[in-house]
Amino acid sequence: MRLRRLILTGAIAFSGIALLRALPRGRSSIEYEPIAGMPQFRRLVTSGHISALTGAGAVPLFGLNLADRSPYDMAANDRIAADPVAALFGASALPAMAYFTDIRCPICRPFEATLDALQAEMPDLIRVTLDYPVFGDSSANAARALIAAGPELAPRLRARLTRVPAVVDARYIATVLDSLQADPAPVLAGMSAPETEARLALTRALARAFGFLGTPALVLGRTAMLGAQPLPLLRRVASDERERL
């Protein structure tokens, strides 16, 4: 399973590079397609590179045993059905981008530098970070800790957890929080709190709805993209999204 995920992550990264190389010059090179079940959103496609990985209708239920859905999954699906924009961006108003990441994702950190550059050019573009654990128990433990840490502590904790070689469990998280001079007790307690499970279930449900098989993934405005996309392409999508507002 781990090897499969690593291969998939590499394929997603390659797709971002292939997409850039496939783009001919001129604004007519970018195409979009609707996302099944998400009528307010669309998916970026060019020469089939991205749609080959996230084809509509084939992916949204990937890895999901419908018979085993928990109450958190059901509530998450209800939130998305009621208002997918609010479920994705929360209180943030468009233009905004939702970034799906995993602390063990090998290409997320360089892609985050690209997102930083985009935000430097467009300061009003808000980034919502969603921890989407796809690399096993360590990723899931880290995601719960980051959710429980809250918006002030989470960025510092994320910087320490990202791509760490150690097994990320409660003991390791407590050690890291101690080193950050933060009280581990509230975070450790919050990792198993219902609101943490609800947030994690919502992120996973959103990933299924958009057909995101792995990380990094991005919804920029109302355009979904899988893989580490280049800055010129993100500029183009952001410009197109502004025209839709």
Side-chain angles (χ1 to χ4, degrees):
M1 180 63 72
R2 180 176 176 82
L3 177 59
R4 180 184 178 187
R5 287 168 175 159
L6 289 173
I7 292 172
L8 177 60
T9 301
I12 292 170
F14 175 78
S15 295
I17 297 170
L19 177 59
L20 177 61
R21 291 176 176 173
L23 288 174
R25 295 185 182 275
R27 291 193 58 81
S28 62
S29 59
I30 291 184
E31 297 179 2
Y32 304 97
E33 68 180 13
I35 300 176
M38 299 285 280
Q40 298 184 52
F41 293 88
R42 61 188 182 178
R43 177 180 293 113
L44 176 69
V45 290
T46 298
S47 302
H49 287 290
I50 297 302
S51 59
L53 283 174
T54 60
V59 172
L61 302 181
F62 180 87
L64 177 64
N65 184 340
L66 298 180
D68 292 336
R69 283 188 177 181
S70 72
Y72 297 113
D73 294 319
M74 301 299 289
N77 292 336
D78 289 343
R79 283 188 62 183
I80 295 171
D83 190 340
V85 175
L88 183 63
F89 295 116
S92 300
L94 295 176
M97 57 182 171
Y99 168 55
F100 292 73
T101 185
D102 184 309
I103 63 154
R104 298 213 171 207
C105 169
I107 56 176
C108 286
R109 182 174 291 183
F111 184 50
E112 286 162 14
T114 302
L115 298 181
D116 291 341
L118 182 67
Q119 286 186 284
E121 296 177 5
M122 304 177 181
D124 63 331
L125 187 60
I126 297 170
R127 186 193 313 180
V128 177
T129 299
L130 301 177
D131 288 286
Y132 176 35
V134 295
F135 287 99
D137 290 342
S138 285
S139 295
N141 290 336
R144 289 184 172 89
L146 289 164
I147 293 169
E152 294 185 5
L153 179 57
R156 292 196 296 145
L157 180 59
R158 185 184 307 281
R160 292 290 300 274
L161 293 179
T162 299
R163 295 194 301 174
V164 295
V167 173
V168 178
D169 55 15
R171 179 178 299 180
Y172 183 81
I173 290 167
T175 300
V176 172
L177 290 168
D178 279 333
S179 71
L180 294 173
Q181 298 183 333
D183 184 4
V187 176
L188 296 180
M191 288 175 62
S192 58
E195 53 268 30
T196 298
E197 290 302 319
R199 173 71 258 185
L200 194 56
L202 181 60
T203 297
R204 286 172 166 153
L206 285 164
R208 289 195 300 268
F210 286 109
F212 293 152
L213 299 180
T215 56
L218 185 71
V219 183
L220 177 49
R222 300 192 186 187
T223 299
M225 294 167 276
L226 177 64
Q229 309 298 342
L231 182 58
L233 179 66
L234 294 179
R235 289 192 191 108
R236 285 281 307 280
V237 174
S239 176
D240 288 350
E241 284 296 317
R242 289 181 187 279
E243 293 176 3
R244 300 177 74 198
L245 293 178

